[in-house]
Every structure is written in C-alpha cells, then in structure tokens.
Amino acid sequence: MTATQRVTVRVPAKVNLQLAVGPLRDDGYHDLVNVFHAVSLFDEVTATEPGAAGAFTVRVEGEAGSQVPADATNLAIRAAEALAKHAGQIGADGRPYGVDLLIRKAIPVAGGMAGGSADAAAALLACDALWGLGLSREELMEIGAGIGSDVPFALLGGTAVGTGRGERLTPVPATGAFHWVFALADGGLSTPRVYGECDRIRAEAGEEVAWPSADEALMAALRDGDARALGAALANDLQPAALTLRPSLARTLDVGRDAGALGALVSGSGPTCAFLAASADHARELSEALTSAGVCRAAITADGPVPGAEIVA
Ligand code: C5P
C-alpha cells in the first residue's frame, strides 16, 4: 500500500495538424496518419481512495460535466479498471484496487479534442501513483491504447505522428510555440458517425482511398517553427464529413480565415474548429472576431505544444 491518498493529474487537449484517413479495416477502424499536437487546454483528474474497497466511482465537475457519463462507460473509469486488471486486481495490502475519480472538465465534450481520451490517460497516471504501481509511461500508453486510439498521445504530449489507428506514436521535433484559437460549438459530434460519413462520401464519389502518408511540408514547418507554412499545411480528411453533418461550421471557418488566421480546420471529428494565429495578440484578435460574429458558443486561446499528462499534486 502506498502512502499516497490523493493524486491530481493535469492532461491536455489535442488538435490534429494532419489527419489523413486511409481505407476502412476489417476491425472497423481506419489506418491513419495522425499528427497530434497537445495544446494548453487542460482537464484535471483527481484520484482518491474509494469509500468502499474495490469500488470505482467518477464525478464530473465543470460547465459540460452533465454531458459526460458518470457510470462504467466513462473512459476514465474504464482506464482505471483496465489498470487494476493489469496489476492483478489486488494490492500488496490484500485489498482490491479501487478509486474515486473527480474530473474537472475544460476540454469540450465530444468536441474533436480527445477530452474523453485525455481523462482516461490522466486516470491511468493518477491510479498508477495512488496504487504505487510504478509502471513506465510506455506501459501506461500500451494499456491506454486498449481504451481508445487517442489515449496514448494524451500521455505522451508534445507533437507526434500516430499511425495504425493512431496509437503507434513517433514524436515530431518542433521549434517554438504555436498560438491557437478554438471555436467551441454547441453540442458534440459522434466520432464513429463522422468516420462513417467520411466512408459514405468517399464511396459515393467512387474515390480510390489512398494509403495515408505524412506531409513533408507540415513536418518541415514544425521543425522550423514556421507558423505561416504550418497554417498552409493543416489538413483534415474528416472535415468534409464534419461539415456535412454540421453545415454551420463552414461559416465559422470562413470568419476565422477572413480575420487573418494562418490556417483554419475542423479539429479531429469536430465540431470544434481550430485556427492558427501569428502571435498571442493575433490569437486574441481572432478570438474576438469569432465571438462577435456569433459563429461559436465560445472562443478560447491556447498554445502548443505542451507536455502530456502530468502529476500536479
Ligand atoms: O479508438 P476510439 O474508441 O477512440 O475510436 C472511436 C471510433 O472512431 C471507432 O469506433 C471508429 O468508429 C472510429 N475510428 C476509426 N479509425 C481510427 C480511430 C477511430 O474508424 N483510426
């Protein structure tokens, strides 16, 4: 048994700088080239000893808390349970592992910024410390990959290319900080539904689906810290599907572009839209333009890259 009674982990949201979606696989997933970038928009997950040994509970606080399931379908609970199973269910003191999780949400729910995956990643790191398991980051990433394709990246952070279904990660060298604005939408979009719509659009167009590959111009822009070149290279194969399911996003993207964004795209499966700015001041200007045009629920600024999940208390 560890002396730790309470652990708090801070975990970032992600935006996809390139999301190249390959053919549909037999297991229902798509092979991807997914350039993840962690940004300074954070959820916090606190793990404490449960009231009853072996119990797993979750509470969610924050503006969007009511939209997150607080039962066993919650990804953070599933992650904690998977870690307990990996560790053999019973601690050194003979008591079954269990945890009370408190999630403070700032990352939009079902927003295309991997908020649920981030909470799962944070739960893995927090429970590892609470239970005194001492697993490596790599081991936690492997358990995380079984929970969701984006969970390993939330543990890694920074900027990284994900292949396979997005879970096989290679860090990408990046110079400097990039300034972002995120336009949050009302309500979410279901990730499986957006992938399904992407398949439908492609089938209807009779499109031959190419094997995805990393964009060299994007990699060079990251290496050089060149925001203008990065803005021009941003790309998301899920964007047409997200725009079909949520046509109003086209106007959100246009307002950001007209206000001088260096790049504008739907984040992941949406409906959050991401805009790259030239500076922190420019990001504030863009954010005001988006808010005053009334094309989003809220606009927030953030920087990237930032580290993955970290214990903060
Ligand atoms: O891995 P995760 O549970 O986050 O994925 C959610 C859904 O997104 C999958 O059920 C699948 O429909 C879709 N998906 C996909 N290809 C990927 C990742 C996710 O089709 N590489």
Side-chain angles (χ1 to χ4, degrees):
M1 183 65 194
T2 159
T4 313
Q5 298 293 310
R6 181 191 185 87
V7 181
T8 297
V9 170
R10 192 176 82 148
V11 64
K14 61 84 183 161
V15 59
N16 306 90
L17 307 180
Q18 181 193 358
L19 182 44
V21 179
L24 179 62
R25 311 192 314 201
D26 290 343
D27 64 1
Y29 286 87
H30 297 74
D31 275 300
L32 305 178
V33 165
N34 194 347
V35 182
F36 292 103
H37 183 69
V39 294
S40 60
L41 170 61
F42 300 100
D43 279 0
E44 263 188 17
V45 176
T46 298
T48 46
E49 291 288 338
F56 289 81
T57 66
V58 65
R59 276 181 304 134
V60 187
E61 274 181 2
E63 202 193 337
S66 60
Q67 299 159 40
V68 181
D71 57 20
T73 64
N74 183 288
L75 284 188
I77 287 276
R78 285 181 42 208
E81 287 177 342
L83 183 64
K85 189 166 173 218
H86 177 90
Q89 306 284 14
I90 311 280
D93 61 356
R95 282 162 30 113
Y97 294 120
V99 68
D100 280 342
L101 294 170
L102 172 62
I103 303 175
R104 289 185 198 85
K105 279 224 75 75
I107 306 174
V109 178
M113 298 191 78
S117 301
D119 299 343
L124 288 174
L125 191 60
C127 290
D128 175 71
L130 185 74
W131 300 336
L133 302 178
L135 296 190
S136 68
R137 193 63 65 150
E138 288 68 28
E139 286 171 299
L140 295 177
M141 285 165 69
E142 209 169 306
I143 297 167
I147 306 297
S149 309
D150 293 348
V151 178
F153 176 72
L155 285 159
L156 184 68
T159 306
V161 183
T163 55
R165 52 186 177 86
E167 85 287 13
R168 276 190 253 129
L169 296 171
T170 310
V172 174
T175 304
F178 296 100
H179 305 282
W180 295 94
V181 181
F182 296 99
L184 312 189
D186 280 317
L189 275 177
S190 143
T191 303
R193 194 154 168 241
V194 176
Y195 273 99
E197 182 63 18
C198 174
D199 291 336
R200 194 196 63 74
I201 292 171
R202 286 171 162 183
E204 199 175 82
E207 219 179 278
E208 179 79 27
V209 181
W211 192 254
S213 63
D215 177 358
E216 280 314 313
L218 185 118
M219 295 298 154
L222 286 166
R223 208 169 39 236
D224 300 343
D226 184 339
R228 197 160 290 278
L230 180 63
L234 296 172
N236 179 1
D237 282 355
L238 291 180
Q239 185 160 307
L243 290 178
T244 306
L245 295 172
R246 192 69 75 85
S248 62
L249 298 180
R251 176 149 160 71
T252 310
L253 292 172
D254 281 345
V255 167
R257 286 189 197 106
D258 291 349
L262 303 180
L265 85 175
V266 170
S267 178
S269 54
T272 305
C273 291
F275 302 89
L276 185 60
S279 64
D281 283 343
H282 184 215
R284 274 189 292 276
E285 283 166 32
L286 274 178
S287 147
E288 277 159 28
L290 288 159
T291 312
S292 60
V295 290
C296 55
R297 171 167 66 81
I300 45 176
T301 58
D303 295 337
V306 295
E310 290 179 306
I311 295 176
V312 290

